[in-house]
């Protein structure tokens, strides 16, 4: 996965990054990348779990999970 550069992050953050050092911006990039990875993994896990629970119900079962 391509990571955002410090320069790109500064462009995205605009005024928020003015007082941040390059090290602080890189730390923010690393943290947000980790959070995004976790969120994608969790979404995939929930999707698999939802698909699994859907296939376990009979066609006549209209209850929601």
């Amino acid at each position: 996965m391509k990571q955002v550069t410090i320069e790109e992050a500064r462009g995205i953050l605009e005024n928020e990054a003015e007082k941040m050092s390059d090290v602080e911006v890189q730390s923010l990039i690393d943290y947000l990348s980790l959070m995004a990875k976790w969120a994608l993994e969790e979404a995939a896990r929930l999707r698999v779990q939802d698909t699994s629970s859907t296939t376990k119900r009979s066609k006549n079962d209209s209850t929601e999970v």
Side-chain angles (χ1 to χ4, degrees), residues 57 61-65:
R57 290 188 277 164
D61 185 3
S62 61
T63 59
E64 302 223 1
V65 176

Side-chain angles (χ1 to χ4, degrees), residues 46-56:
L46 290 173
R47 185 174 186 186
V48 168
Q49 182 181 10
D50 184 49
T51 303
S52 163
S53 66
T54 301
T55 57
K56 290 179 184 175

Side-chain angles (χ1 to χ4, degrees), residues 9-60:
R10 287 189 181 281
I12 294 167
L13 294 169
E14 297 177 346
N15 296 343
E16 297 294 323
E18 283 180 2
K19 295 181 181 179
M20 295 174 74
S21 70
D22 285 352
V23 172
E24 291 171 320
V25 173
Q26 185 61 57
S27 293
L28 182 60
I29 292 167
D30 294 342
Y31 176 73
L32 292 175
S33 294
L34 181 62
M35 294 299 295
K37 181 181 176 184
W38 174 83
L40 290 170
E41 289 172 354
E42 186 67 8
R45 184 187 69 77
L46 290 173
R47 185 174 186 186
V48 168
Q49 182 181 10
D50 184 49
T51 303
S52 163
S53 66
T54 301
T55 57
K56 290 179 184 175
R57 290 188 277 164
S58 71
K59 287 184 178 181
N60 295 329

